[in-house]
Amino acid sequence: MSDKIGNRVAVIGLGISGIAAVKNLLEEGFEVFGFDQNEYLGGLWKWCLDADKTSVLKSTRTNISKWRNSYTDFPFPDDTPNYPTAEQIMKYLDDYADHFKLKQHCRFGIKVDRLDRSRDDATWELHYHDRDSEAQVDKFDRVVVTTGAFTKAWMPNIEGSENFRGQILHSQAFKGAEDFKGKHVVVVGLSQTGGDVVYELCEHAEKVYLSHRSGGRISIRNHDAPVDRKLSRRITAFGLALNKHAPNFAGWIASKGIDYQMRKTFPNIDPAWKLLPAPPIGFSPPVMNDHLMDRLASGAVTSITGINHITPSSEIILTDGTSLPSIDAIVFCTGYTATYSMLSPEADPTAFPQPEWEALPNKNGLVYPRLYRGHCSTKYPLTLAFIGPYTGHSFAAFVNGDLSTQAIAQVWKGAFALPPQAQMEAWCDANYAHQLARLKVSRIPKVGFVDVAEQERWLNAAAGNGINEMLGWSWEAWRFWFKNRKVMRSVTDGVDTPFVYRLFDARETGEGRKGRGRKKWEGAEAAILKTAVLVARPIGGHKDV
């Protein structure tokens, strides 16, 4: 292992990324212990009634199709709908853990209270307890924190909110609409969660209002032919290159294209809904919802502007001056912030002065974590890593978690060298400046990267998956193309499946590569070709009921 550091690793959080971390670290010979406060794996993908836990709703489906969003060596079953339900995602995660025998390395029902650095600065001390025991302390050589970004509910300060006589809650506490039967409800936030909450409320509430300040784009899932299957690696690479060299133009083109598709799908958009124009696509991704536009058209949902204040008589006054006098409940679908409260200052990536960030009104509770490449602690890069505080290189959560933890495993194994400390700090400084500039323009849901394509190249190099070479302009790439044209066409111009990350034998991937890299999946090529066949024909049961 790297620099004679021990190989005992704690993984905190067993959602999508945490499970991948356990698997990929075990695969490289580490002794891994997974911890989760829940009695189950999967994190927020399991619906629960606990108002203090973030979870999906009963109606939740994925926004990314199964063809793009799976682990890199474990396809969904053939009969799974293109857009799996939350229940199907949980079944998939459970099957993945069983297939790779991960559960025996995991402890559930464990609440982590504190992560401290030991006095001799040699190990990490994990303070935790379960329901039946007193606090315990265990020592680990390395730690991966995968508790995610959806941990601490964020609500805006509304003037006069103390005057409201009805119920105020965050969507974290919204577990179903049955308790709102016959009521008038305002949902604040045109977001993925906001759309789902509105949909469920329409089945029970007497009147539903959707409050938003700046409009938004609505897309629907094409259940028989998902749009994301057309976003090949070639198209994605072109878009990312355009965004790198002409970001304003790329954002304008993308926004106009999605606006055009929205108007084509919904030709009778009422201007009174104030959906368009919407903020630039880079700051406001489309809301994927199959029912919202129909509910707006039928009058079941009324689109309103933002809330300005609440009067002493419990009347809601909107920013356009409209008053809503008889509202029973307000549900804030206004997002989350990551919390680092369990981390000591040595472990906390936000424990550095950031006065420029704190002064910006658009931050909405978002803090900036100083992490090299969005993952590695700058103080302890070989023993402490995070998955979740940054947006991934992909919009597919399974791919992000899997590739990132492959890279971390190879770095910690000593197969890929990190740059000198000064270079890591310089990267962090440049990325901070870029995110600060973005935040000055508009709100951002999560911290991201200056160059997403460059981030993926780094992850590929660190993981040792050969993609940078085999999908580039090397002689090896040409030889592979000549001998495997059908596979290469599927990889570059077909569905951008996750299996490409396990397709090639690990090979030399630049300065610092010393080992074999991540493990190849022998079934990757067959899975890629099978996907190309399956996406060409519909599978029964794709449509919602």
Side-chain angles (χ1 to χ4, degrees):
M1 298 301 168
S2 179
D3 291 344
K4 298 181 181 180
I5 300 171
N7 70 344
R8 198 165 191 263
V9 184
V11 176
I12 306 174
L14 295 172
I16 288 175
S17 296
I19 297 168
V22 172
K23 186 259 190 185
N24 288 322
L25 287 162
L26 284 170
E27 203 165 68
E28 297 302 329
F30 290 91
E31 184 184 8
V32 185
F33 300 82
F35 297 87
D36 200 287
Q37 65 178 339
N38 298 312
E39 299 290 347
Y40 48 84
L41 54 77
L44 59 79
W45 280 99
K46 183 177 177 64
W47 176 79
C48 73
L49 284 170
D50 189 336
D52 295 322
K53 286 184 180 180
T54 306
S55 74
V56 296
L57 298 177
K58 289 182 178 180
S59 62
T60 300
R61 284 181 178 267
T62 62
N63 296 323
I64 311 301
S65 75
K66 70 172 184 177
W67 310 113
R68 297 290 303 269
N69 195 24
S70 73
Y71 288 122
T72 58
D73 53 1
F74 196 75
F76 276 93
D78 292 348
D79 60 354
T80 302
N82 282 333
Y83 294 97
T85 64
E87 187 176 355
Q88 289 164 333
I89 291 291
M90 284 298 297
K91 176 67 165 57
Y92 172 79
L93 292 170
D94 204 55
D95 289 346
Y96 178 83
D98 286 340
H99 179 79
F100 291 106
K101 298 179 174 57
L102 306 180
K103 292 179 182 176
Q104 65 197 56
H105 302 278
C106 301
R107 294 186 62 185
F108 299 100
I110 301 296
K111 177 68 168 63
V112 174
D113 301 307
R114 184 79 171 171
L115 178 65
D116 277 317
R117 192 67 179 163
S118 62
R119 288 187 177 182
D120 61 2
D121 201 31
T123 59
W124 292 101
E125 295 181 346
L126 194 67
H127 301 251
Y128 62 90
H129 70 275
D130 60 26
R131 293 174 180 171
D132 302 319
S133 69
E134 296 181 357
Q136 303 177 54
V137 181
D138 206 348
K139 292 188 177 183
F140 294 91
D141 303 301
R142 311 175 198 253
V143 177
V144 184
V145 180
T146 63
T147 50
F150 303 105
T151 51
K152 183 179 180 181
W154 184 85
M155 294 173 61
N157 293 320
I158 302 294
E159 180 185 348
S161 59
E162 70 280 2
N163 299 322
F164 189 66
R165 298 168 189 165
Q167 182 182 9
I168 294 178
L169 69 156
H170 190 273
S171 57
Q172 183 183 60
F174 182 92
K175 303 300 180 179
E178 293 81 2
D179 292 340
F180 299 88
K181 185 175 180 61
K183 295 184 177 181
H184 291 212
V185 184
V186 173
V187 177
V188 178
L190 182 51
S191 59
Q192 306 291 352
T193 301
D196 289 343
V197 169
V198 164
Y199 169 63
E200 294 208 359
L201 282 170
C202 284
E203 302 299 316
H204 297 275
E206 182 175 334
K207 183 60 184 175
V208 180
Y209 297 90
L210 177 58
S211 170
H212 57 96
R213 292 179 177 272
S214 52
R217 300 172 180 87
I218 313 297
S219 297
I220 60 173
R221 302 172 182 87
N222 186 333
H223 289 268
D224 287 325
V227 173
D228 60 35
R229 70 178 186 171
K230 298 179 181 179
L231 296 176
S232 66
R233 289 190 71 87
R234 191 187 303 275
I235 292 174
T236 300
F238 173 79
L240 291 176
L242 184 64
N243 188 63
K244 177 181 179 180
H245 297 291
N248 292 334
F249 178 69
W252 180 81
I253 286 288
S255 297
K256 291 299 181 183
I258 296 175
D259 289 353
Y260 169 79
Q261 186 61 44
M262 180 175 169
R263 289 190 173 97
K264 182 180 178 181
T265 305
F266 308 109
N268 298 316
I269 298 175
D270 189 339
W273 300 341
K274 296 182 173 60
L275 297 177
L276 296 176
I281 195 70
F283 299 97
S284 180
V287 173
M288 188 75 75
N289 193 286
D290 300 332
H291 313 285
L292 181 57
M293 296 298 281
D294 289 340
R295 298 299 191 272
L296 285 167
S298 70
V301 177
T302 299
S303 177
I304 59 177
T305 60
I307 297 176
N308 185 65
H309 67 278
I310 300 175
T311 70
S313 60
S314 192
E315 192 172 16
I316 295 176
I317 307 299
L318 306 179
T319 55
D320 64 0
T322 303
S323 64
L324 300 176
S326 302
I327 300 300
D328 301 297
I330 305 173
V331 183
F332 284 94
C333 302
T334 45
Y336 298 81
T337 59
T339 177
Y340 301 92
S341 58
M342 71 173 181
L343 304 178
S344 66
E346 293 84 2
D348 187 353
T350 67
F352 71 97
Q354 41 185 312
E356 308 96 337
W357 189 278
E358 290 297 326
L360 293 178
N362 289 332
K363 68 179 185 300
N364 283 7
L366 182 67
V367 292
Y368 187 88
R370 189 176 178 86
L371 297 167
Y372 177 63
R373 294 293 175 178
H375 296 304
C376 301
S377 163
T378 53
K379 190 172 183 180
Y380 299 99
L382 295 179
T383 64
L384 180 61
F386 295 78
I387 309 289
Y390 281 57
T391 57
H393 76 280
S394 166
F395 49 71
F398 284 100
V399 179
N400 287 329
D402 202 343
L403 180 58
S404 295
T405 53
Q406 289 172 37
I408 290 167
Q410 294 301 314
V411 169
W412 286 1
K413 180 185 173 184
F416 183 83
L418 294 175
Q421 185 72 29
Q423 290 185 27
M424 289 194 289
E425 297 291 355
W427 185 94
C428 291
D429 289 341
N431 200 69
Y432 175 72
H434 181 264
Q435 298 304 306
L436 192 66
R438 293 184 68 218
L439 196 64
K440 289 178 181 178
V441 176
S442 181
R443 302 184 300 271
I444 56 176
K446 288 177 74 173
V447 172
F449 301 100
V450 175
D451 186 344
V452 175
E454 199 269 337
Q455 174 69 9
E456 188 201 13
R457 286 192 296 272
W458 185 86
L459 290 171
N460 289 336
N465 57 32
I467 286 180
N468 295 344
E469 296 74 27
M470 300 303 289
L471 299 185
W473 296 97
S474 67
W475 284 111
E476 289 177 318
W478 282 107
R479 281 196 295 269
F480 183 84
W481 172 82
F482 185 77
K483 295 179 180 180
N484 304 273
R485 297 187 191 184
K486 187 176 181 180
V487 176
M488 187 62 93
R489 283 197 301 271
S490 294
V491 167
T492 58
D493 297 307
V495 180
D496 188 9
T497 74
F499 316 127
V500 69
Y501 293 103
R502 296 275 184 176
L503 175 62
F504 303 111
D505 282 319
R507 58 194 67 239
E508 293 298 317
T509 58
E511 185 179 355
R513 170 57 60 194
K514 299 177 182 178
R516 65 180 179 83
R518 61 88 185 100
K519 182 180 178 181
K520 175 184 177 180
W521 178 39
E522 295 299 333
E525 181 176 318
I528 290 169
L529 294 175
K530 181 179 179 180
T531 298
V533 173
L534 290 177
V535 296
R537 62 173 184 263
I539 300 175
H542 286 180
K543 295 182 179 179
D544 289 328
V545 293

